[in-house]
């Protein structure tokens, strides 16, 4: 009898243990399912939030035909928009566009850091190449909302705006230049590709400063071609920032929501009428400026300051040829 009681007690314990094991297993399964659903929901929310932040727009349900809002407050939709359009190269492009397409609406975006509205004055002194009241926009492209308000309202965008100056300024302000250019490039591109944007063609302007340091410092003649930028090792933050602009433009082409036809040009030292003189000037004008000032002084007491050894060489491109390239792009 005692043996039978012991047997049934053992069986009851085993049965209870089996029930408990089954219950715990089911509970664990439910917890796993709940956690998986929570993770999925959180991932969807994070992805939605991240996409919204990346596009600087609110989360939205996909629409077959996104409605483009009015551009009346920025002078309507432009045929052409040039960032940095009051600068040396940008203004040359604006004048050429105006001559080729006198009826076209041409907009200029420039914060006048180095640009000058007078660069947009017609060569005969009568009027300007654009309607300054309607189509000139003094905008800081490091601020997305301000950039998007104007950039999206154009069909063709030439993005020339950046922070640059002479080599002495570049090396004295590396962090500032890098951050500003990254913001300028990424904001301009995002605005051009926004759902409400009218932009169809987007031309990004890079620089020879993005080539690796050892190719730039060589005293031998090196034919620089597009595929020589990697492994990347630009000499300055300016070269890095402009290379990152090229890289992001390349990433944009691969995005499933991309609607832009993108061209990339990489400029070498540009010279010609309208280039900046004096402080912040680049190679040719800087040397000429120093030489002119030197001639007016006692030469025994004044030195012509030249960066580097003086044995290096450069390629220079005339501004009209640069404009030809931009229009071909």
């Amino acid at each position: 009898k005692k043996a039978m009681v012991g047997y049934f007690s053992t069986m009851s314990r085993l049965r209870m243990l089996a029930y408990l094991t089954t219950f715990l297993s089911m509970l664990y399964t439910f917890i796993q399912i709940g956690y998986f659903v929570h993770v999925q929901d959180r991932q969807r929310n994070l992805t939605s939030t991240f996409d919204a932040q990346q596009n600087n727009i609110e989360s939205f349900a996909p629409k077959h035909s996104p409605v483009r809002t009015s551009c009346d407050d920025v002078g309507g939709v432009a045929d052409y928009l040039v960032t940095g359009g009051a600068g040396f190269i940008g203004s040359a492009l604006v004048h050429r566009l105006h001559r080729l397409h006198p009826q076209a609406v041409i907009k200029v975006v420039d914060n006048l850091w180095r640009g000058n509205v007078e660069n947009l004055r017609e060569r005969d002194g009568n009027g300007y190449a654009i309607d300054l009241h309607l189509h000139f926009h003094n905008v800081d492209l490091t601020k997305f909302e301000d950039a998007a308000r104007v950039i999206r309202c154009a069909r063709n965008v030439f993005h020339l705006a950046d922070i640059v100056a002479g080599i002495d300024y570049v090396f004295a302000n590396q962090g500032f230049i890098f951050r500003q250019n990254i913001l300028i490039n990424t904001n301009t591109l995002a605005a051009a590709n926004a759902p409400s944007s009218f932009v169809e063609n987007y031309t990004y302007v890079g620089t020879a400063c993005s080539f690796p340091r050892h190719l730039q410092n060589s005293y031998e003649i090196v034919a620089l071609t597009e595929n020589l930028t990697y492994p990347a090792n630009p000499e300055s933050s300016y070269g890095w920032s402009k290379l990152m602009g090229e890289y992001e433009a390349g990433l944009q082409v691969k995005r499933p929501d991309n609607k832009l036809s993108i061209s990339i040009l990489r400029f070498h030292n540009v010279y010609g009428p309208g280039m900046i003189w004096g402080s912040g000037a680049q190679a040719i004008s800087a040397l000429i400026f120093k030489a002119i000032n030197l001639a007016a002084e006692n030469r025994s007491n004044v030195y012509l300051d030249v960066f580097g050894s003086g044995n290096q060489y450069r390629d220079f491109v005339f501004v009209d040829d640069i404009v030809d390239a931009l229009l071909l792009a």
Side-chain angles (χ1 to χ4, degrees), residues 188-214:
T188 303
L189 183 59
N193 195 62
S196 63
S197 171
F198 290 85
V199 180
E200 300 168 5
N201 300 304
Y202 184 88
T203 302
Y204 174 80
V205 170
T207 173
C209 294
S210 294
F211 283 106
R213 180 196 307 258
H214 72 278

Side-chain angles (χ1 to χ4, degrees), residues 257-276:
D257 66 342
N258 176 58
K259 58 189 182 65
L260 302 174
S261 174
I262 296 179
S263 301
I264 299 174
L265 299 181
R266 193 177 294 152
F267 291 172
H268 290 242
N269 306 278
V270 185
Y271 73 97
M275 64 192 306
I276 292 177

Side-chain angles (χ1 to χ4, degrees), residues 16-29:
M16 288 298 295
L17 182 60
Y19 289 153
L20 181 60
T21 301
T22 301
F23 172 75
L24 291 175
S25 177
M26 292 175 65
L27 180 62
Y28 178 70
T29 300

